[in-house]
Amino acid sequence: MWARDSLPPAMIVFLVLDIIAVGLRIFVRTHMSKSFGYDDWAMILALAGYITLCALTFVSLENGYGADTVDPSWDIQKGVKFFVASTLAYVIVVFIAKISVALVLYRIAVTNKPIRALLIASVVILTIWTTVTTLIVAFQCTPLPVAWGEGTGSCLPAYVLANTGYSISAMDIASSFLYAGLPILLLKDVQLSSKMKASVIVVLGLGIVSSIATVIRLKYLLDVGKLKSAVGVEASNAYLTTFVYSITELGLTLFTASLAALRPLLKYVPFGNDTTQGYSQSKKKSELRSNMGPAVKLEDLETTPSQEHIIPQGHIQKETQYRVDYANV
């Protein structure tokens, strides 16, 4: 029951965070940097998919999916139907979110052909993988309405769905660590201010946290593989448990991918100023000024058109004499 109770607040939190983050990203790209591109369209599509995913899950829970007790007002078949739809939406939205992250990195690696080739290869693999897993989820029962108890037919064994979940998690983890590590290669030779380095570390750290959520989900996928049947209350609880981490991982992915585009907003963060560099430059300027001799007030200068008295006598520290000889050519 903890999974059923934990899903609604988790979805609400990440919906709020993701809508704010993507909204700020759109504002920055359209009004500040004037660089709205295809990666931003992909992120908007991913956010729309995430909102749809959460809406489907909310409807499923409202109709008693995964509940230990039965309420006469619940439509259990409707709850199962919407959860199957949310599972299918999850597979597709994860793919779109990963594509949006890959497009951001592709945009950054404009002069790095090897990394761009690696990103293209990863997108191709993700596309093939997502197509296969989507078909497995969509045709887990024949006909599909059998999955929510309508009609008669057959369904895939629970271990097949568990293996599909393993494959999704494996690809998710591999792509997450790949996309979290590539910025390190892209920025290793770039000189950044302290606040910029801090922002990069935060974004990469959150990206790794989303991968950790996926790793934890693997533990509960093992429980799904041990199910005797792919339907029923026990199966529903197992699916919901894995779904808590799925919602968390996907929400963090959208959030961190949007944070990477908010760099222009750092100048409005007062505690992010790089005071060390400013102090160093100020100190150098002070030392340079002290080597130029004593300061001269403007009122001490003689008002004469001659340039001999621009600086009062006795204040010139170096005198240079020139000698010119003429010879007959």
Side-chain angles (χ1 to χ4, degrees):
M1 283 295 292
W2 76 267
R4 176 179 163 81
D5 296 333
S6 301
L7 261 177
M11 289 188 292
I12 292 173
V13 168
F14 283 111
L15 279 173
V16 172
L17 290 177
D18 292 342
I19 290 173
I20 292 175
V22 175
L24 288 174
R25 173 182 178 145
I26 296 172
F27 173 78
V28 168
R29 291 292 178 85
T30 55
H31 292 82
M32 298 182 69
S33 62
K34 307 291 185 181
S35 58
F36 193 86
Y38 40 77
D39 53 327
D40 300 298
W41 284 114
M43 182 55 63
I44 292 174
L45 184 60
L47 177 62
Y50 189 70
I51 294 174
T52 303
L53 165 64
C54 292
L56 293 172
T57 307
F58 274 123
V59 175
S60 174
L61 296 176
E62 286 294 323
N63 283 275
Y65 184 80
D68 294 334
T69 59
V70 178
D71 191 304
S73 63
W74 291 341
D75 187 341
I76 302 299
Q77 284 189 351
K78 184 178 180 180
V80 177
K81 181 191 299 185
F82 273 83
F83 187 78
V84 172
S86 65
T87 304
L88 188 60
Y90 168 76
V91 176
I92 298 173
V93 175
V94 166
F95 168 72
I96 299 173
K98 296 297 181 182
I99 293 298
S100 67
V101 175
L103 290 176
V104 171
L105 295 173
Y106 189 85
R107 194 175 188 176
I108 297 174
V110 63
T111 59
N112 198 318
K113 293 183 178 180
I115 289 184
R116 279 199 158 193
L118 178 61
L119 287 169
I120 293 174
S122 69
V123 169
V124 172
I125 294 174
L126 282 173
T127 303
I128 297 173
W129 210 273
T130 301
T131 302
V132 173
T133 53
T134 300
L135 291 175
I136 292 176
V137 174
F139 297 100
Q140 58 183 288
C141 292
T142 307
L144 184 58
V146 175
W148 51 82
E150 293 183 5
T152 58
S154 60
C155 295
L156 295 174
Y159 73 86
V160 174
L161 296 179
N163 290 337
T164 303
Y166 299 153
S167 66
I168 294 174
S169 296
M171 185 57 63
D172 196 2
I173 293 170
S175 59
S176 294
F177 278 99
L178 172 65
Y179 295 156
L182 283 180
I184 299 177
L185 297 177
L186 292 172
L187 302 175
K188 66 176 183 179
D189 297 326
V190 179
Q191 294 183 353
L192 299 175
S193 64
S194 59
K195 69 176 182 179
M196 187 58 63
K197 290 179 180 179
S199 67
V200 172
I201 292 173
V202 169
V203 171
L204 292 179
L206 290 174
I208 294 175
V209 168
S210 67
S211 302
I212 293 175
T214 307
V215 173
I216 297 176
R217 185 180 60 191
L218 281 174
K219 174 184 178 299
Y220 296 99
L221 282 173
L222 295 174
D223 297 334
V224 174
K226 298 176 183 178
L227 294 173
K228 297 180 180 179
S229 174
V231 296
V233 175
E234 183 182 4
S236 300
N237 288 326
Y239 297 150
L240 284 177
T241 302
T242 61
F243 218 64
V244 171
Y245 295 99
S246 300
I247 290 292
T248 302
E249 179 264 335
L250 186 52
L252 282 173
T253 299
L254 296 179
F255 184 69
T256 54
S258 296
L259 284 184
L262 304 185
R263 188 180 64 181
L265 295 178
L266 287 177
K267 61 183 179 181
Y268 298 109
V269 180
F271 54 82
N273 294 330
D274 192 359
T275 56
T276 303
Q277 183 177 1
Y279 173 77
S280 177
Q281 292 178 350
S282 177
K283 185 177 180 181
K284 289 181 179 178
K285 289 180 180 179
S286 177
E287 292 176 352
L288 179 62
R289 179 66 187 88
S290 65
N291 294 330
M292 296 173 63
V296 179
K297 295 182 179 181
L298 291 178
E299 57 265 27
D300 293 338
L301 299 180
E302 297 182 12
T303 57
T304 172
S306 174
Q307 295 184 6
E308 295 179 2
H309 304 292
I310 291 179
I311 298 179
Q313 295 183 1
H315 289 271
I316 298 178
Q317 297 180 339
K318 183 177 181 181
E319 181 178 346
T320 304
Q321 296 181 351
Y322 296 92
R323 178 180 177 180
V324 181
D325 294 331
Y326 295 93
N328 295 327
V329 181

